[in-house]
Amino acid sequence: MEIRKLARQEQPPMELLLLADPSQQLVEQYMKRGECYVAEADGAVVGVYVLLPTRPDTAEIVNVAVHELYQGQGIGKRLVNHAIQTAKAQGCKTVEIGTGNSGVGQLALYQKCGFRITGVDRDFFLRHYDEPIYENGIQVVDMVRLSQDI
Ligand code: ACO
Ligand code: ACO
């Protein structure tokens, strides 16, 4: 499995990006300003992340996703750690990430990668998404914010 930066002229893996974020409009917005990296295995794109500069010295991982057939094999962890190293190489001092209140597995993964919870953006998903979203049988309403100094 190899992780590489997606070239400007390449099509982003929209299906994967929409796994992590159901709003194509939001995805297209941050794809314009962020850097997209893909994980390739067996000659196909199996994972993705998008790193977005948000404030001076700070970048946010705004999207991370692994193809369903490849989940649970450590690819998500490698992508998140790769994103942290990329931000560090660019001189960032802080990396941030956020996930829905229902994201039990995501919260586990991010904490295993060194992130700590810094706050909750209440009603974020009610404000920014038209349709109700459910995950693990829980409605996604709040955004749990995490960060780490690097
Ligand atoms: N309890 C405890 N630990 C858990 C749980 C849980 N419920 N779920 C996952 N984990 C742990 C795993 O054990 C593993 O840790 P380990 O290596 O110490 O065993 C780690 O979290 C994740 O393992 P990976 O195999 O690296 O993860 P995967 O390749 O499956 O990718 C991802 C994780 C990206 C979240 C994937 O499931 C996915 O694409 N989901 C759909 C899209 C999504 O929700 N993306 C994130 C949205 S938030 C955002 O984009 C910023
Ligand atoms: N991902 C998604 N859903 C989960 C997960 C997970 N990782 N773990 C549990 N759930 C869900 C279950 O699916 C279930 O929901 P469902 O009925 O919709 O399927 C629900 O959470 C819990 O199910 P129960 O069987 O009712 O829970 P249980 O009888 O196991 O009791 C408890 C839970 C009290 C936390 C028990 O595991 C326990 O005693 N743990 C040790 C002590 C402890 O940690 N207590 C809480 C400390 S905090 C405090 O005391 C305030």
Side-chain angles (χ1 to χ4, degrees), residues 35 37 49 51 81-92 150:
E35 288 177 6
Y37 285 76
Y49 76 79
L51 191 65
N81 283 326
H82 192 278
I84 295 165
Q85 290 313 316
T86 302
K88 204 170 183 173
Q90 293 174 354
C92 285
I150 52 176

Side-chain angles (χ1 to χ4, degrees), residues 122-130 132 139-142:
R122 283 177 70 91
D123 295 331
F124 176 89
F125 291 92
L126 300 180
R127 286 199 305 274
H128 294 282
Y129 294 80
D130 295 334
Q139 187 174 0
V140 194
V141 288
D142 303 318

Side-chain angles (χ1 to χ4, degrees), residues 19-20 63-66 71-77 98 105-106 108 110 112:
L19 262 190
N63 192 307
V64 55
V66 173
Q71 288 177 7
Q73 298 175 23
I75 298 174
K77 209 175 194 177
Q106 292 89 325
Y110 303 155
K112 283 179 172 180

Side-chain angles (χ1 to χ4, degrees), residues 11-122:
Q11 282 295 333
M14 191 51 78
E15 242 173 80
L16 273 180
L17 292 161
L18 290 173
L19 262 190
D21 185 340
S23 166
Q24 184 153 350
Q25 196 189 341
L26 287 182
V27 171
E28 282 169 356
Q29 264 174 32
Y30 54 65
M31 281 299 289
K32 283 186 203 142
R33 295 183 292 129
E35 288 177 6
C36 183
Y37 285 76
V38 291
E40 285 176 324
D42 310 324
V45 172
V46 298
V48 68
Y49 76 79
V50 181
L51 191 65
L52 185 72
T54 48
R55 293 191 299 281
D57 301 335
T58 304
E60 178 171 346
I61 303 169
V62 285
N63 192 307
V64 55
V66 173
H67 190 291
E68 270 117 342
L69 295 176
Y70 289 82
Q71 288 177 7
Q73 298 175 23
I75 298 174
K77 209 175 194 177
R78 281 183 60 183
L79 285 166
V80 172
N81 283 326
H82 192 278
I84 295 165
Q85 290 313 316
T86 302
K88 204 170 183 173
Q90 293 174 354
C92 285
K93 302 276 188 284
T94 306
V95 187
E96 297 181 330
I97 196 162
T99 190
N101 52 283
S102 54
V104 181
Q106 292 89 325
L107 285 169
L109 166 62
Y110 303 155
Q111 289 178 91
K112 283 179 172 180
C113 291
F115 287 93
R116 289 185 61 183
I117 293 172
T118 50
V120 177
D121 190 345
R122 283 177 70 91

